[in-house]
Amino acid sequence: MDKAVVLNVKNLNISFQVNQKKVNAVRDVNFQLYKGDVLGIVGESGSGKSITSLSIMGLLSNKDKDSEIIFRSKNLIKATEKEMRKVRGNQISMIFQEPMTSLNPLFTVGQQLLEAVKLHTHLKKREAINLCVNVLESVGLGRAEALMKEYPHQLSGGMRQRVMIAMAMICKPEILIADEPTTALDVTIQSQILSLMRELNSANGTSIIFITHDLGVVAEICNRVIVMYAGQIVEEGPVRTIFREPQHPYTIGLLKSLPDTRHRDERLYAIPGMIAKPGSIKAGCQFAPRCEFVTDKCRAIAPQLLPTDIANHQVRCFESNRVKEVITVV
Ligand code: ADP
Ligand code: MG
């Protein structure tokens, strides 16, 4: 049976005015998030991952009237701030890379959790406290009652990120958006947080959008992957396809830069060149200047995102057949 679509992003475009010029930072992004899925969005810094997630949360003011973000049959792009406040934290939650910037240093953990509960439920004080304690325990934080009275600076980075996850999960959201939630943490803590998120996903059926620049993290937690480059989706597919049969040269570059994969070079690989600034490449494929498969056609015409012969797999590249052959030989 097909899974239900919980979020449908259609034709998302986000632009900024920079020096009186309109700069398109996200272009024609289309994707669906399915019930219970963990969807990874991966790409180098500057590829448009964060502004995509901020626009889902209704936190960007520059809204494109032709873009649609359909959630529970409503277009969130057209929702009022009042309507979005009901959605945020309650139906769609978000956690960020640096929990210290999202937690208020002046309030205790308990005060901040209780505030979130008060905003979205009608629970009495004692019930609300019990809920907070339960949620803190469910994210693996012991001595939860004592923790409620502590301030964010008294906690380690990993504990703060667990508190953030507790806060995001307290109203059992349908969707959790995690923007680089483990990037600031060391490797051991990172893998603990990832397994916590996997547990929450399978226990509550929460659909997760997991944003990261690290394909290694994607392999640990996601079942579907969107690869973004310079504001566009360049490849999308099941995690197995992205790792075993990638067809976009950029995806292959990301895979080659991973330590310890079957695509590994002798030295640790880095994709040559820098990510294109939005609007800097006027014609052709955005990845062309960095691409080892580039042809004259790529420099002249922008490729479309098209289905391949693999199920649920799409790629934006004219040379994907040639890319595919090379990568299976590696
Ligand atoms: P990522 O999260 O993938 O690192 P972002 O979504 O933060 O990337 O940014 C994507 C692009 O949008 C970047 O090139 C950035 O320069 C541009 N951008 C983001 N926010 C703004 C802004 N407020 N004004 C102008 N450009 C912006
Ligand atoms: Mg970002």
Side-chain angles (χ1 to χ4, degrees), residues 165-181:
I165 295 173
M167 200 170 309
M169 294 303 293
I170 205 153
C171 296
K172 292 211 185 317
E174 213 171 316
I175 301 172
L176 175 66
I177 303 177
D179 190 352
E180 310 249 7

Side-chain angles (χ1 to χ4, degrees), residues 16 18 25 44-52 278:
F16 294 97
V18 180
E44 284 164 295
S45 179
S47 51
K49 307 180 298 294
S50 291
I51 52 175
T52 299

Side-chain angles (χ1 to χ4, degrees), residues 219-232:
E220 281 196 52
I221 186 162
C222 302
N223 44 353
R224 281 178 64 227
V225 189
I226 287 172
V227 181
M228 280 189 79
Y229 184 77
Q232 291 180 312

Side-chain angles (χ1 to χ4, degrees), residues 171-192:
C171 296
K172 292 211 185 317
E174 213 171 316
I175 301 172
L176 175 66
I177 303 177
D179 190 352
E180 310 249 7
T182 59
T183 303
L185 304 173
D186 68 47
V187 180
T188 329
I189 310 292
Q190 173 169 327
S191 78
Q192 289 170 7

Side-chain angles (χ1 to χ4, degrees), residues 155-172:
L155 314 179
S156 69
M159 287 169 83
R160 283 200 287 264
Q161 198 54 290
R162 282 175 196 267
V163 170
M164 279 310 300
I165 295 173
M167 200 170 309
M169 294 303 293
I170 205 153
C171 296
K172 292 211 185 317

